[in-house]
Amino acid sequence: QKEVEQNSGPLSVPEGAIASLNCTYSDRVSQSFFWYRQYSGKSPELIMSIYSNGDKEDGRFTAQLNKASQYVSLLIRDSQPSDSATYLCAVKRNSGNTPLVFGKGTRLSVIA
Amino acid sequence: EAGVTQFPSHSVIEKGQTVTLRCDPISGHDNLYWYRRVMGKEIKFLLHFVKESKQDESGMPNNRFLAERTGGTYSTLKVQPAELEDSGVYFCASSQDPGQEQQYFGPGTRLTVT
């Protein structure tokens, strides 16, 4: 079983729609959860972090965490073509300066 | 503020040759991480420096890989001798200490071993 699992996609949504990206993780002691966006050939860029159960909103992005189900998701409202990228889910066992464990990423395509 | 930089952006070498990758973290960041993405797989952790010391090198695949961070500034990752399975994208990331969660990633070095 992979430590962090994501559907590789591609996930295609029309412009203006809500894109829903999902991630499950296997290590129950994981403490910190992150969503990175990566454009082709570019650096992964942190867009959301979440540490406790529930929702966290930042602009058009909402991260949702359910530790009991070992599930974290990212919702992108009013999707734009510029949101087309690969979205990487990453998990850390401990807080602080410890390594990230990544999923393979989900490729999102927003169709104008 | 300059971001994390990596050099070279691409490297193509033959099996058995040596390659050295360089990472310059964000100025003042004590924590430096190396990650690797092999084609079709997820990004995987290689090792973690705190200043010039190796904090965790549990992800290093074998002794053909040598990482250094002399003086606690830039870091190098040497692969000697390179094998075909070493091909992939090598990312470097840095973060401040203490306890900053966000790791800032460089653009990566794409290594192709033929």
Side-chain angles (χ1 to χ4, degrees), chain A residues 19-31:
Chain A
S20 178
L21 304 161
N22 304 314
C23 172
T24 58
Y25 59 94
S26 61
D27 190 344
R28 285 196 168 274
V29 301
S30 297
Q31 298 277 344

Side-chain angles (χ1 to χ4, degrees), chain B:
Chain B
E1 178 183 78
V4 177
T5 59
Q6 294 186 244
F7 182 83
S9 56
H10 292 85
S11 180
V12 180
I13 61 172
E14 293 182 354
K15 177 182 171 180
Q17 289 186 321
T18 298
V19 63
T20 300
L21 314 181
R22 173 171 169 145
C23 168
D24 286 78
I26 293 172
S27 178
H29 282 195
D30 289 336
N31 292 273
L32 187 150
Y33 303 82
W34 283 98
Y35 293 87
R36 176 175 74 171
R37 184 167 195 163
V38 172
M39 186 181 293
K41 304 285 189 181
E42 64 274 18
I43 296 174
K44 283 201 166 182
F45 166 75
L46 296 177
L47 87 159
H48 170 204
F49 283 99
V50 178
K51 297 184 180 179
E52 66 274 11
S53 300
K54 291 177 185 173
Q55 180 81 7
D56 180 357
E57 50 185 330
S58 60
M60 294 288 263
N62 51 61
N63 59 9
R64 295 185 293 103
F65 289 75
L66 175 64
E68 294 181 325
R69 193 182 182 196
T70 307
T73 54
Y74 71 91
S75 174
T76 58
L77 179 65
K78 181 191 287 189
V79 185
Q80 178 182 29
E83 297 289 345
L84 298 178
E85 64 264 25
D86 300 333
S87 296
V89 181
Y90 289 76
F91 290 102
C92 175
S94 71
S95 69
Q96 283 181 317
D97 195 47
Q100 189 196 49
E101 290 281 0
Q102 181 168 355
Q103 294 182 20
Y104 296 84
F105 279 78
T109 293
R110 181 174 294 278
L111 174 64
T112 303
V113 183
T114 63

Side-chain angles (χ1 to χ4, degrees), chain A residues 5-58:
Chain A
E5 296 213 54
Q6 298 180 252
N7 187 324
S8 61
L11 172 66
S12 294
V13 300
E15 183 175 0
I18 296 175
S20 178
L21 304 161
N22 304 314
C23 172
T24 58
Y25 59 94
S26 61
D27 190 344
R28 285 196 168 274
V29 301
S30 297
Q31 298 277 344
S32 311
F33 307 86
F34 306 87
W35 284 98
Y36 282 80
R37 178 177 63 198
Q38 187 179 21
Y39 294 111
S40 181
K42 302 295 184 182
S43 321
E45 173 193 10
L46 181 67
I47 53 172
M48 288 289 285
S49 58
I50 187 166
Y51 308 103
S52 55
N53 283 329
D55 294 0
K56 178 182 177 182
E57 187 174 318
D58 184 0

Side-chain angles (χ1 to χ4, degrees), chain A residues 40-78:
Chain A
S40 181
K42 302 295 184 182
S43 321
E45 173 193 10
L46 181 67
I47 53 172
M48 288 289 285
S49 58
I50 187 166
Y51 308 103
S52 55
N53 283 329
D55 294 0
K56 178 182 177 182
E57 187 174 318
D58 184 0
R60 295 186 297 112
F61 299 100
T62 298
Q64 299 174 316
L65 175 62
N66 183 327
K67 289 186 178 180
S69 300
Q70 296 175 238
Y71 176 90
V72 58
S73 65
L74 179 70
L75 300 178
I76 306 174
R77 289 182 298 282
D78 188 23

